[in-house]
Amino acid sequence: MNILGIETSCDETAAAVVSGGANVRSNVVATSLKDHQHFGGIIPEIASRRQIEFINGVVAESLGRAGLALGDIDAIAVTRSPGLIGSLLVGLCFARGLARATGKPLVEVDHIKAHLYANYVQLPEQRPACPQDRLPAVGLVVSGGHSSLFYVENFKKFKLLGSTRDDAAGEAFDKVARILGLGYPGGPVIDRLAVGGANDQIKFPHASLKGNYDFSFSGTKTAVLYYTQRHQHRPGYDVAKVAYAFQESVVAVLAEKSLQACRNFKVNTLLIGGGVAANSALRRVLHSQAQSQGVDVFFPPMALCLDNAAMIAGLGYHWYNVKKS
Ligand code: KG4
Ligand code: ZN
């Protein structure tokens, strides 16, 4: 079964064709990121206008790269929510129009759950990060818009355990990068800088809310702001050391909560998804801590950590089957 996936929740316009819920036949992503960079964040109005410009070409290219015509597609899957409303509407209206015009079934998919499904998707000549039978699992989604922890019983049943009470993890990276004058998006640049900033002199608070699975990163972000204001003009101030200490604090909390959920639910599979899943410290810390607890941790390939439509088409396959039965 070939599913055409469409994803337009933020600044990426993406389309992909996935067979059998796992095999990626094409995966096309266009982005308006450059148009937002000098504003220091995504401007929703600009993002949605670019979506309109890109969508037709991106969908046509995804079919072309898959070597398929629209008639070869069995169903269309599209991101329904969450995301920027103007951006979401472009993909939803396009997909609904296409489904109506071609008579193909339409499946509307949750963007956050699809980030976790990226672990089960198989790029050409690669294995999926995680075998399809490794369920139930605990799933951590950390992106620019969300930090959520799930108990994943199967591909149709996701139980939300906790989420952020303020900034999402990626949002905290982006805001701290702005405080440190590092540009947008902040995650990749903090990740790179932190490599040369290892130290144990600077400590930022680990916002570990007790007795639940919620996150809070705004206190850590404010601590970075105050530290920077106090120290940036003093001798010895090193932005790489600040980046390291901030990243260490966020990563420690994400690792602690996810592994705690694995222990409590007696699960030995931990799935990570979303843009922050690209973070090298999160990968390193989780791999080593999970191993000592007998948990296997899975990260999608880099190309599938950020927003893409392969994860939408893949999860759409399972949700389409639910609708039919
Ligand atoms: O999943 P995504 O593409 O978009 C949303 O659905 O939000 O994630 C984008 C976020 C941005 O906040 C970006 O700073 C963050 O992912 N990010 C990273 C890294 N690469 C991207 N955060 C930490 N370390 C990275 N290497
Ligand atoms: Zn996302």
Side-chain angles (χ1 to χ4, degrees):
M1 179 185 231
N2 294 317
I3 298 206
L4 169 67
I6 296 176
E7 148 64 37
T8 65
S9 65
C10 191
D11 58 323
E12 274 91 16
T13 312
V17 178
V18 175
S19 296
N23 295 318
V24 178
R25 299 188 60 159
S26 67
N27 183 35
V28 180
V29 184
T31 177
S32 60
L33 181 67
K34 281 201 162 51
D35 298 319
H36 307 276
Q37 271 173 326
H38 63 281
F39 295 107
I42 302 296
I43 307 297
E45 175 68 17
I46 296 176
S48 54
R49 283 172 188 266
R50 291 287 178 269
Q51 297 282 6
I52 293 171
E53 290 165 22
F54 292 157
I55 185 92
N56 219 355
V58 166
V59 170
E61 195 175 332
S62 72
L63 289 168
R65 285 199 202 171
L68 297 176
L70 210 41
D72 303 318
I73 295 298
D74 298 293
I76 299 163
V78 63
T79 303
R80 180 190 169 84
S81 63
L84 302 174
I85 187 65
S87 288
L88 283 168
L89 275 171
V90 175
L92 262 174
C93 292
F94 189 94
R96 284 179 184 173
L98 201 57
R100 172 80 52 110
T102 57
K104 308 278 178 200
L106 180 72
V107 192
E108 298 183 3
V109 174
D110 181 281
H111 178 87
I112 306 186
K113 293 167 186 166
H115 266 304
L116 291 178
Y117 191 79
N119 283 288
Y120 297 97
V121 165
Q122 185 168 8
L123 290 170
E125 286 156 36
Q126 286 186 27
R127 287 160 176 257
C130 183
Q132 292 253 342
D133 57 359
R134 292 222 42 166
L135 284 167
V138 164
L140 172 73
V141 183
V142 270
S143 72
H146 331 280
S147 302
S148 309
L149 201 57
F150 290 92
Y151 175 71
V152 187
E153 197 172 323
N154 55 51
F155 296 134
K156 295 148 200 165
K157 260 198 181 161
F158 294 70
K159 182 177 189 289
L160 182 66
L161 303 176
S163 48
T164 184
R165 296 202 181 164
D166 38 60
D167 293 335
E171 188 181 359
F173 270 92
D174 295 335
K175 288 180 175 172
V176 162
R178 190 199 282 223
I179 292 168
L180 301 179
L182 300 175
Y184 178 86
V189 60
I190 289 182
D191 193 353
R192 273 196 307 278
L193 255 186
V195 173
N199 73 95
D200 51 17
Q201 300 117 38
I202 310 173
K203 293 271 179 226
F204 294 123
H206 290 194
S208 238
L209 304 172
K210 298 285 176 223
N212 58 58
Y213 293 110
D214 285 346
F215 302 100
S216 167
F217 298 111
S218 71
T220 312
K221 176 192 68 188
T222 307
V224 175
L225 175 68
Y226 290 157
Y227 179 91
T228 308
Q229 286 172 342
R230 271 200 312 276
H231 292 87
Q232 64 184 334
H233 300 301
R234 294 191 187 165
Y237 172 78
D238 182 348
V239 72
K241 287 185 175 176
V242 182
Y244 172 89
F246 162 74
Q247 180 172 275
E248 193 274 330
S249 153
V250 172
V251 164
V253 175
L254 294 174
E256 183 194 319
K257 292 262 169 173
S258 330
L259 291 170
Q260 189 190 342
C262 290
R263 284 194 296 278
N264 292 355
F265 285 88
K266 299 188 174 30
V267 156
N268 66 358
T269 304
L270 175 59
L271 309 169
I272 314 294
V276 183
N279 185 267
S280 61
L282 183 65
R283 286 173 179 247
R284 195 180 54 249
V285 168
L286 266 177
H287 274 304
S288 90
Q289 292 188 4
Q291 201 177 30
S292 64
Q293 199 179 298
V295 169
D296 294 320
V297 57
F298 299 94
F299 290 84
M302 289 295 183
L304 299 176
C305 285
L306 299 176
D307 288 349
N308 66 88
M311 65 185 193
I312 303 297
L315 188 57
Y317 171 83
H318 297 278
W319 288 20
Y320 174 57
N321 287 334
V322 171
K323 266 179 98 179
K324 276 200 316 185
S325 54

